Amino acid sequence: MKQKKHTILAIGLVILMAAALSSCKRDTMGLPDPTGPSTLATILKMGASPNVIAAGLKERQTAVITAHLYKFDGQALGGKTIHFEVRDAFGIKANYGHLDNSMTVVSKVTDGAGKVTVTYTGPIASELDTFDNFTLYVYAWVGWQGKEEISELCPIHIVGDVLADLEIEFELQAFPNVLWCGATPPTSRIRGIFTYQNGVPIVGRKVFFEITGFNGPPGAEGKFEDGTRKTFAITDYKGIAEILYIGPTGNQLTGDAAVWIQGQPETDWIHVPLPPDYDPDGTDPAEKYYIHKTMGLRLIKAPGNN
């Protein structure tokens, strides 16, 4: 009887050991096998900035595609050739827009960080067969050992709005909009946000900033970070242009004051006929579009600054 119990106990221990070994093997299955295909340990990552562009009437928007090739452990793979091509949702070569230098297929070599960039230039409205929004893909692939290939897709959303060039929005903000003027000049970050009405950012355009009014002592209205009272900044991939305003010190003021700053985005590339009542004497150009915003900043004179 005792011998039977010992036999059962031994069988149970064997089963438990087998289960433990099996469990350990499952925990390591997520790691690449060093003896397996090299593509399992290699990653190709892609991104687009911006990833939404509009097909306007006359203006082509661009997106910068970044590809990053590296090993599973994070080691960069420099000196590798990555091929790029624009494709549609079905994986078929697309004829909307183009890559660098008007090419349909581009090949570039990764740098020491394993990265490479390519610019996609989008279509204009007249080149589309639909005005509905749709998605294109920049397809990238790397030839590897033998017949192995590493590939990845990067989506770019196209807003096919034929009126996109006419429907624009501009917003002006200040952070903060109330400045405490003491012994050192206060600062405020002025932000101009330039977008289409559908929310797509307008990238790479100038926004002009100007100090247009001040109700304090002459010469104490402050300046922008470049030392001027009229300057500009370029919109980034979010459609935002920023500039730093530097206000007066407390001893430059005789009391609380206010300064007015105007922002005006660049719109030379938009051609919209003016309303008849806008230019009654005909002195302005026949086609022009003018959009601007003005905002005021409060300047509080700190006590003890005479």
Side-chain angles (χ1 to χ4, degrees), residues 78-138:
K80 301 296 183 181
T81 301
I82 301 181
H83 310 279
F84 299 88
E85 185 178 46
V86 181
R87 299 187 179 184
D88 62 18
F90 300 99
I92 302 172
K93 181 179 176 181
N95 294 320
Y96 297 123
H98 57 80
L99 297 172
D100 290 354
N101 300 319
S102 301
M103 302 294 290
T104 56
V105 178
V106 170
S107 300
K108 289 194 172 182
V109 178
T110 57
D111 60 16
K115 295 182 179 181
V116 66
T117 60
V118 63
T119 299
Y120 168 73
T121 301
I124 57 177
S126 61
E127 296 172 346
L128 303 180
D129 51 16
T130 177
F131 294 138
D132 295 329
N133 300 344
F134 64 100
T135 302
L136 292 174
Y137 298 87
V138 175

Side-chain angles (χ1 to χ4, degrees), residues 146-276:
K147 294 183 178 180
E148 294 179 16
E149 183 179 282
I150 304 169
S151 62
E152 185 61 275
L153 289 171
C154 181
I156 299 179
H157 307 287
I158 308 295
V159 179
D161 186 357
V162 71
L163 298 178
D165 275 344
L166 309 182
E167 300 173 352
I168 60 176
E169 291 186 348
F170 179 70
E171 184 179 354
L172 194 62
Q173 300 175 343
F175 304 94
N177 60 2
V178 178
L179 303 184
W180 185 261
C181 302
T184 59
T187 62
S188 176
R189 187 152 296 279
I190 310 301
R191 173 182 292 180
I193 306 174
F194 197 23
T195 65
Y196 293 106
Q197 198 172 65
N198 50 29
V200 176
I202 299 177
V203 181
R205 293 293 173 182
K206 294 180 181 179
V207 174
F208 299 93
F209 299 95
E210 182 178 3
I211 298 173
T212 57
F214 179 59
N215 65 354
E221 61 267 34
K223 58 187 177 182
F224 294 114
E225 59 187 297
D226 61 359
T228 69
R229 290 173 174 77
K230 184 176 181 180
T231 187
F232 70 87
I234 306 295
T235 56
D236 61 14
Y237 72 99
K238 294 182 179 179
I240 298 174
E242 288 189 344
I243 194 74
L244 192 68
Y245 165 76
I246 303 173
T249 59
N251 58 17
Q252 291 180 282
L253 300 176
T254 56
D256 293 350
V259 61
W260 285 268
I261 296 176
Q262 176 181 279
Q264 178 187 339
E266 176 189 7
T267 53
D268 295 345
W269 47 280
I270 300 176
H271 301 284
V272 182
L274 289 172

Side-chain angles (χ1 to χ4, degrees), residues 21-22 37 73 103-104 129 156 248 293 305:
L21 289 172
S22 176
D73 60 3
M103 302 294 290
T104 56
D129 51 16
I156 299 179
K293 292 285 181 68
N305 288 265

Side-chain angles (χ1 to χ4, degrees), residues 10-92:
I11 294 173
L13 289 172
V14 171
I15 294 173
L16 288 174
M17 291 175 64
L21 289 172
S22 176
S23 175
C24 290
K25 287 182 180 179
R26 281 197 297 268
D27 288 343
T28 59
M29 284 181 67
L31 298 175
D33 184 354
T35 62
S38 60
T39 54
L40 294 180
T42 307
I43 299 172
L44 177 60
K45 186 177 180 181
M46 296 180 67
S49 178
N51 63 355
V52 180
I53 62 177
L57 290 176
K58 300 178 181 179
E59 186 73 9
R60 295 181 187 273
Q61 291 196 345
T62 61
V64 177
I65 312 299
T66 301
H68 186 193
L69 186 67
Y70 56 96
K71 290 185 178 180
F72 186 87
D73 60 3
Q75 179 184 347
L77 293 173
K80 301 296 183 181
T81 301
I82 301 181
H83 310 279
F84 299 88
E85 185 178 46
V86 181
R87 299 187 179 184
D88 62 18
F90 300 99
I92 302 172

